[in-house]
Amino acid sequence: MAASPAAGANHRILIVEDDHIIAGNLYTFLEARGFVPDVAYSGTGALERLAEQRFDAMILDIGLPGMDGNAVLHALRNDRRLPLPVLVLTARDSLDDKLAGFSHGADDYLTKPFALLEVEARLLALIQRAKGATVDTVRTFGDLSYDTRSRGVAIGGKPVHLTRKATLILEALLRDPGRVVSREELEALLWGSEPPSSDALRSQVHLLRRALADAGFDGIETMHGTGWRLVHSGSAA
């Protein structure tokens, strides 16, 4: 069911997008849904807005003129230490681009073209999770820990080596532990609009499971016909 027009609850959203048509569409939609949007058309403009005003979340394009989105993220997380939730919205859909965005401090990543209702849903989820949050790049689930900047994984403090695709799967599962991450969502994350054979994702999940199990963590549960989710180690089926 779509969120109500009041779903935005006057949350202030900074849209950082150099394409005026896209920025305008986002602004009009979010305003109609109850948000209070503002727009910056460059990375430097975004940092100026952030110095002047408080926002509840930011929509950030990566391909900005001059100072690109990753540089904005670096300044946001490392220089200013702001825990502002950031939804990256970009045409860059390669695995390396996504990993770079997350490593610089993005909280979520959505590629163009996109559905406006999905942008709204992701923004609301980010804002909800950020309430009371502090700047912390390490995500934990039981004995498992994951550093979103270094992309380092550890079980009980012991480092675990993962492939790039396995790391991206784990990142998706850790973003909202307990939520079922669908096959379609993971395939889009790993391969974009052209996923390989149906066995490819299953093989990547198997590699992730085996690497974590060797270190003592078996908390990835298969939801048959749906996807996968994290459960406390020892409870996975």
Side-chain angles (χ1 to χ4, degrees), residues 27-43:
Y27 187 104
T28 300
F29 172 79
L30 291 175
E31 187 176 47
R33 303 296 285 183
F35 295 87
V36 181
D38 194 2
V39 180
Y41 298 104
S42 67

Side-chain angles (χ1 to χ4, degrees), residues 108-165:
D108 202 356
Y109 199 107
L110 188 60
T111 56
K112 302 173 182 176
F114 53 85
L116 290 168
L117 285 174
E118 184 174 5
V119 172
E120 177 188 30
R122 288 176 182 254
L123 281 175
L124 289 172
L126 290 177
I127 292 169
Q128 181 64 32
R129 289 201 296 266
K131 289 181 178 178
T134 59
V135 177
D136 187 357
T137 64
V138 179
R139 298 176 182 176
T140 61
F141 187 80
D143 291 337
L144 185 151
S145 64
Y146 174 62
D147 190 314
T148 59
R149 288 185 184 167
S150 68
R151 300 197 293 275
V153 178
I155 306 293
K158 179 181 177 181
V160 178
H161 175 71
L162 299 178
T163 64
R164 289 194 305 169
K165 285 185 172 62

Side-chain angles (χ1 to χ4, degrees), residues 14 16 40 42-53 55 58 67-68 71-77 79-80 82:
L14 178 60
V16 188
S42 67
T44 54
L47 294 180
E48 289 173 1
R49 291 283 204 290
L50 291 169
E52 298 167 353
Q53 303 177 45
F55 293 93
M58 178 166 68
M67 184 182 200
D68 72 6
V72 173
L73 281 169
H74 182 83
L76 191 72
R77 302 308 191 206
D79 300 335
R80 303 193 181 188
L82 290 178

Side-chain angles (χ1 to χ4, degrees), residues 128-216:
Q128 181 64 32
R129 289 201 296 266
K131 289 181 178 178
T134 59
V135 177
D136 187 357
T137 64
V138 179
R139 298 176 182 176
T140 61
F141 187 80
D143 291 337
L144 185 151
S145 64
Y146 174 62
D147 190 314
T148 59
R149 288 185 184 167
S150 68
R151 300 197 293 275
V153 178
I155 306 293
K158 179 181 177 181
V160 178
H161 175 71
L162 299 178
T163 64
R164 289 194 305 169
K165 285 185 172 62
T167 299
L168 200 59
I169 293 171
L170 181 61
E171 167 82 37
L173 293 171
L174 276 169
R175 214 169 296 158
D176 190 1
R179 180 180 75 87
V180 178
V181 182
S182 70
R183 166 181 293 276
E184 293 77 15
E185 185 177 344
L186 289 177
E187 286 180 339
L189 188 62
L190 268 60
W191 296 289
S193 60
E194 297 182 358
S197 69
S198 59
D199 289 334
L201 178 59
R202 190 161 39 243
S203 296
Q204 292 299 326
V205 173
H206 173 73
L207 290 174
L208 171 61
R209 268 187 162 142
R210 186 173 65 184
L212 296 180
D214 287 346

Side-chain angles (χ1 to χ4, degrees), residues 75-97:
L76 191 72
R77 302 308 191 206
N78 294 278
D79 300 335
R80 303 193 181 188
R81 305 292 292 171
L82 290 178
L84 179 71
V86 177
L87 169 61
V88 167
L89 199 61
T90 178
R92 299 183 184 182
D93 60 359
S94 75
L95 176 59
D96 286 341
D97 287 327

